[in-house]
Amino acid sequence: MGVAQVPSIPETPGPLFPELASAEEKFRKCIQCGVCSGSCPMGEAMDYAPRKAVKMLLEGRFNEVVESNTPWLCVSCHTCAVRCPSQLAISDGLFPALRAAVMAEGKALDQDLQKALQNTYLYGNPMGISPKKRADWAKTAGVPVPIISQLRRPVDVLWIVECYPSFEPRGQEISKLLARILNALGVDFAILGHEERCLGDCEWLAGERGLFEMLIERNIEILGKYKFREIIMTDPHSYRTLLNIYPALGGRYKVKPVVQFLAERLDQLKPRLKKKLNTTATYHDSCCLGRKTNHYEEPRLLLRAIPGLKMVEMVQNRESSLCCGGGASTIYLDRFIQERMKDRLADRRVMQAAATGAGILAVACPFEPARFEDAVKLTGNEEKLVVRDIIELLAESMEVQ
Amino acid sequence: MNIAVLTKQVADLVEGIEIDASGRAVDRDSIRYILSESDDHALEEALLLKERSQAHVEVFSLETGEVRDGLCTALAKGADRVVMILAGQETPPSNHAAARMFASVLKGLPFDLILTGVRAIDDLDGSVGGLLAGYLGLPYVGLVRKVELVDGAATVEKEYPGGFAAELGVKLPAVLGIQAAEQPPRYVPVTRLRQVMKTAQVEEQEAEPASEEPVSVERMYKPEEGAGAAMLSGSAEEIARQIVNLLSERRVTR
Ligand code: SF4
Ligand code: SF4
């Protein structure tokens, strides 16, 4: 047996799984230090934690890893990737490739994941809601939320709302608040409305490369129709994908997460933050805003600007923040993961937040209000801790609710 | 072992349906088509049988909607041959006409098993399978959720109301109306689907033209809201609370 050929990677590895196009060569740089496995919050549940998986890849035993429970247990928290001394793309390269291999073999997928992928193929969102309804939330925003195709003029800011903030009830409420904040700040913005589709972060990391390519083609085409100065995004996952992955495939945009956009307007924002909130908050660094794109300070700047709000940090913060356990499509694999883990990452994280004594767990990722609220209930912290998006806190202090 | 799977495309309810200006038909332009759900299960059951007993699987689809997409998906999943049945008419056929068309194409072909979805959203009474079996002079079992092949015969599991099930022996050839496959229909990665779409051979076959339909649609309409109906609104939690209140007012809850 020669060196690993990564036999199951479907057809011509393109730029999406760059590490595996020359997997053998790249992963030869692995010094087997074990930092990845030691840092991996899911390692205990994996048949083969990352170090072992890399070793097996190099020994030509890639298929054994494909057959194991490992491919579906990475939550793409990116801790291994930022710590690996050889800078190997484990979360972005190895795991998507493992998952692609599972799919290429025609193995049965978890039903919730399969449904989400099928829905995204058909409707451009994992929920399976008609794309015609994407901007429905805006009807009750209380302020104008223009749709770019109807404006027929360039806008300053194109807001890509994304799936959770467009369709999930709590996300919709947060979107309405953000619309009001943008309005109060006099931002010239518009959304894509019914033309918006999933940007494909989950699909890419889930190993559904074809679906990801399809979404990219479609999104680049739609974005190419309009003129805008910059893009702002509410969903860190999509932000990260548009920022880091789209450029290599022809989609280059000036793109920011909403927290950065607002932090840049702190001078404008501050005089409007009138209501004192008199509480203590702790901020959860999501993996996509944190380790993947280094936005550690803007969310904290925004929170500190709110009068009366005190900030405390959890034991694991910034680079060492603990993932909510929902990245890379694992948000659809809760049941699968729960059967293999003693406690869920979201529960652990909420316990850390509760231990700070803060009354508010502040978040800036649309997956989290629902995930953490669930965990708050499960861990019996309902009386102590409330989960709130930074947008909700800003809107409350600005009294634009 | 030769298996035929009969499929059709139906309106995707997620995208909504409008009634056309005549008030007698669904507005075809407003529709997006997807493979009928129980036909997808029929295909899955056929593919499982193929894996277990090297059967040859051919998929037939009536020419309504995006048939090519549906047939390419079937190929990508593992079907051996796909055939589009040309109906020679714009409007989708009635159940009787559909069964006659399928029969005209299948007559004389050496199939051991003919599987189809037991019903579709435009065939809730699930009559196509039974009618087809009648036209072909074959036995029919509907609401099937498992098929096993034993020496030229099939043992099938059929659902009955009230949580009952029965195992039936069926002589082949036979027509089966599939309620659900033994496992959920498989996933096709988009890369594979797109490749198949580029190279797929979708054969075409003409059905005997349908004779005049004895039943015609006089009026099609959305259900009218009854006077006593109240619409609940609010967030999911508010609605849940309202439902609980309504139920306890009516003493349905304890
Ligand atoms: S951290 Fe990097 S170098 Fe160390 S074992 Fe993991 S992959 Fe290899
Ligand atoms: S991204 Fe996180 S969960 Fe995935 S292998 Fe790396 S450390 Fe483990």
Side-chain angles (χ1 to χ4, degrees):
Chain A
M1 277 286 288
V3 181
Q5 270 289 308
V6 200
S8 304
I9 299 307
E11 310 82 41
T12 58
L16 299 184
F17 299 144
E19 297 312 315
L20 283 136
S22 49
E24 170 205 326
E25 189 197 323
K26 287 253 170 77
F27 279 91
R28 286 241 157 260
K29 288 198 207 136
C30 171
I31 55 169
Q32 286 290 301
C33 64
V35 165
C36 49
S37 298
S39 308
C40 178
M42 302 298 291
E44 64 179 70
M46 290 178 183
D47 287 338
Y48 308 111
R51 181 198 61 81
K52 192 91 188 278
V54 173
K55 184 156 186 277
M56 292 171 74
L57 167 73
L58 294 173
E59 285 171 351
R61 295 164 66 198
F62 188 74
N63 277 337
E64 283 174 56
V65 191
V66 173
E67 302 291 328
S68 75
N69 74 8
T70 299
W72 301 107
L73 285 172
C74 167
V75 293
S76 199
C77 72
H78 219 54
T79 315
C80 53
V82 295
R83 292 187 184 169
C84 170
S86 305
Q87 296 183 315
L88 294 174
I90 301 163
S91 40
D92 287 350
L94 179 63
F95 276 91
L98 281 169
R99 292 167 172 181
V102 176
M103 282 189 207
E105 286 188 2
K107 284 203 182 24
L109 295 185
D110 179 276
Q111 279 305 295
D112 290 342
L113 174 63
Q114 177 166 335
K115 194 86 212 150
L117 294 175
Q118 265 159 353
N119 283 338
T120 308
Y121 177 72
L122 287 172
Y123 313 110
N125 66 76
M127 296 86 177
I129 300 172
S130 167
K132 290 179 216 147
K133 296 184 179 160
R134 207 174 247 273
D136 278 7
W137 64 269
K139 289 179 196 155
T140 49
V143 292
V145 181
I147 292 174
I148 197 158
S149 59
Q150 292 163 8
L151 275 187
R152 296 167 188 282
R153 65 167 175 83
V155 285
D156 196 35
V157 174
L158 178 70
W159 171 17
I160 298 188
V161 187
E162 268 297 66
C163 304
Y164 273 72
S166 296
F167 294 117
E168 193 253 340
R170 176 82 172 263
Q172 290 180 327
E173 291 309 310
I174 297 169
S175 295
K176 290 179 204 171
L177 296 177
L178 180 58
R180 284 175 220 168
I181 293 175
L182 294 176
N183 226 269
L185 294 177
V187 177
D188 173 37
F189 75 97
I191 62 172
L192 287 167
H194 63 280
E195 286 185 298
E196 191 183 292
R197 295 286 183 280
C198 172
L199 283 160
D201 174 78
C202 276
E203 293 67 24
W204 159 45
L205 294 172
E208 225 310 6
R209 186 170 55 154
L211 181 53
F212 185 41
E213 281 169 356
M214 190 186 105
L215 293 168
I216 290 178
E217 281 165 26
R218 150 106 207 185
N219 286 324
I220 290 181
E221 184 195 319
I222 297 295
L223 289 170
K225 291 202 311 194
Y226 303 111
K227 286 208 162 51
F228 44 83
R229 192 178 55 79
E230 61 182 348
I231 294 176
I232 60 169
M233 316 203 39
T234 5
D235 178 11
H237 305 90
S238 319
Y239 159 61
R240 191 272 160 139
T241 305
L242 195 58
L243 179 78
N244 293 343
I245 313 298
Y246 273 59
L249 300 148
R252 280 166 214 285
Y253 315 97
K254 189 174 172 200
V255 50
K256 295 180 178 156
V258 162
V259 283
Q260 181 189 350
F261 181 81
L262 293 177
E264 285 168 356
R265 281 158 186 74
L266 212 53
D267 291 344
Q268 248 184 301
L269 208 55
K270 264 187 182 154
R272 291 182 165 83
L273 294 167
K274 294 216 175 82
K275 188 176 155 198
K276 283 186 123 186
L277 295 193
N278 295 330
T279 177
T280 308
T282 186
Y283 170 68
H284 164 76
D285 290 279
S286 67
C287 308
C288 287
L289 277 185
R291 279 179 293 269
K292 290 189 185 181
T293 58
N294 289 314
H295 292 282
Y296 294 114
E297 296 316 318
E298 294 104 325
R300 290 177 169 83
L301 276 174
L302 291 171
L303 287 167
R304 277 199 214 100
I306 297 173
L309 187 135
K310 275 211 294 290
M311 284 279 292
V312 284
E313 294 290 350
M314 287 180 257
V315 262
Q316 284 182 276
N317 63 68
R318 294 187 168 81
E319 189 272 340
S320 69
S321 168
L322 181 64
C323 175
C324 76
S329 76
T330 52
I331 194 160
Y332 309 111
L333 298 172
D334 259 350
R335 232 176 318 147
F336 173 84
I337 290 173
Q338 233 168 327
E339 284 161 15
R340 288 159 182 83
M341 291 274 282
K342 279 201 300 291
D343 46 356
R344 304 183 308 164
L345 297 189
D347 299 346
R348 276 190 219 169
R349 188 58 167 162
V350 158
M351 293 301 280
Q352 289 184 0
T356 63
I360 288 176
L361 171 55
V363 299
C365 162
F367 284 14
E368 281 154 7
R371 284 188 80 70
F372 282 147
E373 240 160 39
D374 192 40
V376 165
K377 284 179 197 148
L378 266 165
T379 55
N381 281 301
E382 255 174 312
E383 307 289 309
K384 282 195 223 155
L385 204 59
V386 192
V387 183
R388 304 204 63 192
D389 193 287
I390 290 182
I391 303 297
E392 292 174 318
L393 294 168
L394 290 173
E396 186 182 344
S397 181
M398 286 171 80
E399 302 185 303
V400 292
Q401 284 150 297
Chain B
M1 173 65 57
N2 287 314
I3 303 176
V5 182
L6 313 184
T7 66
K8 67 172 169 180
Q9 302 270 321
V10 293
D12 181 355
L13 297 181
V14 168
E15 297 285 15
I17 291 181
E18 301 297 327
I19 290 163
D20 75 7
S22 77
R24 290 162 63 176
V26 164
D27 178 8
R28 301 266 130 213
D29 295 336
S30 74
I31 289 182
R32 167 192 187 142
Y33 287 92
I34 50 168
L35 178 63
S36 175
E37 196 182 342
S38 61
D39 289 348
D40 202 9
H41 280 267
L43 172 61
E44 182 62 35
E45 193 63 30
L47 295 172
L48 290 173
L49 289 172
K50 174 177 172 171
E51 282 163 9
R52 290 203 291 255
S53 54
Q54 286 84 48
H56 177 83
V57 174
E58 299 190 12
V59 180
F60 296 80
S61 186
L62 289 179
E63 180 200 15
T64 40
E66 268 94 283
V67 186
R68 219 189 114 78
D69 287 7
L71 289 175
C72 288
T73 309
L75 279 177
K77 285 183 174 184
D80 298 293
R81 178 175 174 242
V82 295
V83 181
M84 176 152 89
I85 300 180
L86 305 181
Q89 61 181 61
E90 289 257 307
T91 49
S94 69
N95 296 337
H96 279 266
R100 273 197 301 268
M101 285 178 192
F102 279 130
S104 73
V105 170
L106 293 174
K107 195 164 276 169
L109 296 180
F111 287 109
D112 303 287
L113 260 183
I114 298 170
L115 305 186
T116 186
V118 71
R119 64 170 81 78
I121 55 165
D122 57 358
D123 175 24
L124 284 180
D125 44 353
S127 48
V128 173
L131 288 166
L132 171 71
Y135 290 131
L136 295 175
L138 298 177
Y140 174 74
V141 186
L143 291 168
V144 169
R145 60 182 193 197
K146 189 174 181 183
V147 183
E148 258 171 278
L149 300 169
V150 243
D151 307 330
T155 310
V156 304
E157 207 172 283
K158 178 185 164 79
E159 262 186 40
Y160 283 95
F164 286 96
E167 244 174 50
L168 309 175
V170 195
K171 282 199 189 124
L172 302 184
V175 181
L176 302 178
I178 302 293
Q179 160 83 354
E182 287 159 57
Q183 68 178 39
R186 63 197 63 195
Y187 185 72
V188 197
V190 174
T191 314
R192 179 159 348 129
L193 183 58
R194 283 181 148 191
Q195 260 171 0
V196 168
M197 279 179 173
K198 270 186 220 138
T199 56
Q201 295 279 336
V202 176
E203 287 171 49
E204 294 179 1
Q205 224 165 305
E206 293 203 18
E208 258 168 42
S211 44
E212 209 185 307
E213 303 271 3
V215 180
S216 60
V217 179
E218 301 281 307
R219 177 178 163 230
M220 192 171 268
Y221 54 97
K222 294 200 170 171
E224 283 141 18
E225 245 177 61
M231 296 303 285
L232 303 181
S233 62
S235 70
E237 278 180 26
E238 284 157 15
I239 292 178
R241 213 171 303 127
Q242 291 176 50
I243 294 174
V244 171
N245 289 342
L246 287 169
L247 291 177
S248 51
E249 270 169 32
R250 285 163 179 71
R251 297 176 195 281
V252 182
T253 56
R254 262 182 276 173

